[in-house]
Amino acid sequence: MKIHRRKFLTSISMLAATTAFPINAFEFGKPKKLKIALIGTGIRGTSFWGKRLVDEYSDILEFVGLCDNNPGRLAYGKTYIGTSCPTFTNFKNMVKTTNPDLVIVTTKDSTHHEFIIKGLEMGCDVLTEKPLTTDESKCQAILDAEKKSSKNLIVGFNYRWSPYATKIKELLQNKSIGKVVSVDFHWYLNTYHGASYFRRWHGLMNGGGSLWVHKATHHFDLLNWWINSEPNEVFAYGDLEFYGKNGPFRGKSCRDCEHAPNCDFHWDITTDERSMALYANNEQYDGYIRDNCLFRDEIDIYDKMSAQVKYTNNTILNYSLTTYSPFEGWRVAFNGTEGRIEAWQDIPYNKTSTISEVEKHTKEMEQTNIEESQYEPMILHKLWSEHETIQVEMEKTGHGGGDKRLHDKIFRNPEIADPYGRTAGIRDGAMSVLIGIAARRSIEKGSPIRIGDLTDLVPKTERS
Ligand SMILES: NC(=O)c1ccc[n+]([C@@H]2O[C@H](COP(=O)([O-])OP(=O)(O)OC[C@H]3O[C@@H](n4cnc5c(N)ncnc54)[C@H](O)[C@@H]3O)[C@@H](O)[C@H]2O)c1
């Protein structure tokens, strides 16, 4: 049986998990390797979608091109990834010259649409990092391009793949608490990870679309998946009260800041070899300062955010995102007609042992294969019964073990059953960013925003 690449990638991205096919059943199967071209040789592109693919999947895939508009970072990225493929500073040239099967997009968020659309138009399947994009018109342009193309678009949502998130999905899917009627979801970014967003392009609305999109796309994707419905209406508040112009002083960059001795946020990039190699050593090409002052005046995103979302199936969501918490973690609670689920991660007061706040983000982003598993509890409390504590075995590295499971599903074992529908396609990508975009618009207008008014997607009562 000869099955087309289009079918293969459709099976990954469009949920048809149980009907997915093994990788060697495809035209690119052994001895032909999947040809990958990557744009955006920053930290995520070189590590998760770069070096990790070379280290773990070189038997089934190969890089045929790397592209970045910063030639210095591009050269470093090539060495770090460990590939001998050619490099390009022009995306079209790369695709024309290398004719890849798959384009991976890991540039800054506000530019994703450009490469997704060009990639599809040039006849490639495209895998983009989250968020799909940063505003509604770019989102519509992507939807239109995908409709016109015979190729597919995958959105790399890794959070769904963590065992903890999957356990919640399993309990909800099995109707353990009946019909879910409301959800409280609160995410706390600490003064290391939260602050890091304000040091670079994420701090500008025109870079990442604000944390409503850049960060919350992960959360809204989880919620859409857990609730199993699509958002209908969003009302939000948000403000910038801590970082940016609110700071007591400001400097050019942490490296040469006269306020360093008095600044709790001072970060010495010169002690971080990888950040120096990726960013500081290549500033002369594009002026990208990685250790920018997080109190600089130009920061225009929100640092406190709260939204109410009404889903098409009538579930109500209360959401908040904090960016300068003393600890990093999250809590979720689902109220159902037959009980309640409470789940949380990394709340220090609920733990017997913990790692330091400085280490947390490093662990989350780490791409090691050394298993470091532990049990994390969640509570299932059915009406009229004693509560039950469910212990979930999970890992701390690579976004709770989600990263490597996502890779395996895409590249190694697309045939692995996915009874919880963890694979995400363009509609999932769009629905998760549209909540954040609607929240932004709601703050600007002071009124609720209907998701159906943003693009031509009509929200569904039940995700399919
Ligand atoms: N899923 C996750 O958990 C996760 C984690 C981290 C980052 N990300 C996503 O990965 C992407 C990259 O993030 P990062 O932290 O690596 O950022 P980064 O700034 O380190 O890297 C982005 C790279 O893109 C390049 N670039 C920017 N605009 C370009 C353009 N127009 N043409 C060519 N190159 C361009 C930059 O030079 C840089 O090398 C973002 O979309 C981010 O949201 C996802």
Side-chain angles (χ1 to χ4, degrees):
M1 178 169 61
K2 214 171 192 193
I3 299 159
H4 241 257
R5 283 201 36 72
R6 173 168 167 74
K7 283 263 164 49
F8 164 66
L9 285 169
T10 301
S11 70
I12 296 169
S13 64
M14 302 304 175
L15 307 172
T18 47
T19 57
F21 298 97
I23 204 157
N24 59 8
F26 297 88
E27 288 181 330
F28 64 92
K30 290 168 194 165
K32 188 176 180 296
K33 294 182 179 181
L34 181 71
K35 292 195 288 171
I36 296 180
L38 178 140
I39 174 143
T41 55
I43 187 127
R44 188 72 173 163
T46 54
S47 54
F48 185 59
W49 296 110
K51 183 170 166 32
R52 188 168 197 280
L53 294 193
V54 168
D55 289 350
E56 300 295 321
Y57 304 98
S58 273
D59 56 324
I60 50 173
L61 57 82
E62 64 185 333
F63 280 92
V64 293
L66 296 176
C67 181
D68 200 287
N69 59 5
N70 183 313
R73 195 154 37 247
L74 183 57
Y76 165 75
K78 176 174 169 170
T79 313
Y80 183 84
I81 291 172
T83 170
S84 57
C85 73
T87 57
F88 302 82
T89 49
N90 180 293
F91 178 75
K92 274 190 175 171
N93 278 353
M94 172 173 77
V95 176
K96 229 189 277 170
T97 312
T98 64
N99 192 24
D101 299 309
L102 178 67
V103 164
I104 299 184
V105 180
T106 51
T107 53
K108 78 173 166 188
D109 304 353
S110 57
T111 64
H112 286 179
H113 67 294
E114 202 180 319
F115 306 113
I116 293 171
I117 294 170
K118 272 187 209 153
L120 290 171
E121 282 172 359
M122 294 179 79
C124 307
D125 290 310
V126 178
L127 189 158
T128 182
E129 251 302 347
K130 53 55 54 176
L132 177 66
T133 188
T134 50
D135 72 32
E136 60 272 47
S137 51
K138 292 174 184 175
C139 186
Q140 186 62 59
I142 292 172
L143 292 167
D144 293 343
E146 206 259 356
K147 252 181 250 158
K148 272 191 234 146
S149 165
S150 63
K151 298 293 170 178
N152 286 288
L153 175 59
I154 309 170
V155 185
F157 281 124
N158 41 352
Y159 281 30
R160 291 184 185 193
W161 291 83
S162 101
Y164 197 79
T166 304
K167 186 67 193 179
I168 295 175
K169 176 69 181 175
E170 182 193 321
L171 292 173
L172 296 172
Q173 194 165 288
N174 294 344
K175 302 274 180 245
S176 312
I177 55 165
K179 176 183 169 355
V180 174
V181 292
S182 66
V183 183
D184 300 323
F185 185 98
H186 306 289
W187 196 283
Y188 322 109
L189 291 166
N190 65 14
T191 43
Y192 299 94
H193 187 199
S196 77
Y197 292 117
F198 294 81
R199 295 187 196 277
R200 46 184 184 145
W201 52 263
H202 313 67
L204 304 180
M205 205 61 97
N206 69 12
S210 82
L211 296 178
W212 275 121
V213 172
H214 174 80
K215 186 67 192 170
T217 183
H218 275 306
H219 312 154
F220 295 138
D221 178 63
L222 280 177
L223 286 155
N224 295 348
W225 176 60
W226 283 331
I227 293 170
N228 200 32
S229 180
E230 291 184 342
N232 191 38
E233 192 170 274
V234 180
F235 185 82
Y237 289 112
D239 215 330
L240 176 65
E241 291 182 332
F242 189 83
Y243 299 110
K245 61 183 183 318
N246 301 289
F249 40 67
R250 51 202 45 78
K252 193 169 154 284
S253 69
C254 271
R255 244 167 303 167
D256 46 25
C257 184
E258 56 176 310
H259 303 289
N262 307 317
C263 185
D264 292 330
F265 291 93
H266 178 251
W267 171 51
D268 186 359
I269 191 173
T270 62
T271 61
D272 180 341
E273 205 181 309
R274 177 126 155 87
S275 293
M276 288 299 287
L278 262 174
Y279 306 107
N281 296 349
N282 300 307
E283 283 167 3
Q284 72 269 27
Y285 299 108
D286 59 3
Y288 182 158
I289 311 289
R290 178 64 185 79
D291 60 339
N292 257 320
C293 181
L294 38 73
F295 296 134
R296 65 200 189 282
D297 285 321
E298 62 176 344
I299 289 172
D300 62 354
I301 62 165
Y302 306 105
D303 59 17
K304 70 169 187 185
M305 288 147 275
S306 163
Q308 289 218 316
V309 182
K310 189 165 180 191
Y311 278 77
T312 314
N313 72 357
N314 214 34
T315 302
I316 294 167
L317 162 68
N318 286 297
Y319 170 86
S320 75
L321 178 59
T322 307
T323 57
Y324 41 93
S325 163
F327 65 87
E328 177 127 343
W330 56 276
R331 292 179 204 273
V332 68
F334 297 86
N335 296 303
T337 51
E338 293 171 27
R340 177 175 164 93
I341 293 170
E342 290 194 19
W344 62 90
Q345 287 280 276
D346 299 324
I347 308 294
Y349 323 111
N350 295 0
K351 277 191 175 311
T352 45
S353 74
T354 188
I355 53 171
S356 79
E357 290 300 319
V358 195
E359 274 178 289
K360 256 183 200 172
H361 182 52
T362 316
K363 277 259 175 261
E364 190 186 330
M365 302 300 286
E366 218 167 73
Q367 300 299 335
T368 110
N369 277 334
I370 302 161
E371 295 294 338
E372 207 188 314
S373 60
Q374 61 189 64
Y375 287 86
E376 294 282 344
M378 65 178 70
I379 303 291
L380 171 62
H381 200 157
K382 294 192 189 250
L383 291 186
W384 324 116
S385 312
E386 283 296 308
H387 74 268
E388 183 188 336
T389 304
I390 298 171
Q391 297 288 353
V392 185
E393 186 177 7
M394 58 174 293
E395 296 128 46
K396 280 283 110 186
T397 53
H399 293 101
D403 283 352
K404 68 176 184 207
R405 286 174 174 77
L406 172 67
H407 269 175
D408 276 352
K409 175 68 178 168
I410 294 176
F411 299 111
R412 178 75 66 195
N413 295 315
E415 83 282 9
I416 277 186
D418 181 17
Y420 306 113
R422 292 182 289 191
T423 35
I426 182 171
R427 193 170 176 107
D428 299 299
M431 281 299 164
S432 70
V433 290
L434 287 174
I435 300 180
I437 292 166
R440 251 172 29 211
R441 298 281 171 252
S442 173
I443 295 170
E444 287 159 13
K445 293 198 166 160
S447 56
I449 300 292
R450 294 180 76 85
I451 295 292
D453 291 342
L454 296 176
T455 65
D456 65 8
L457 291 180
V458 179
K460 293 181 186 166
T461 306
E462 199 170 320
R463 286 176 60 256
S464 50

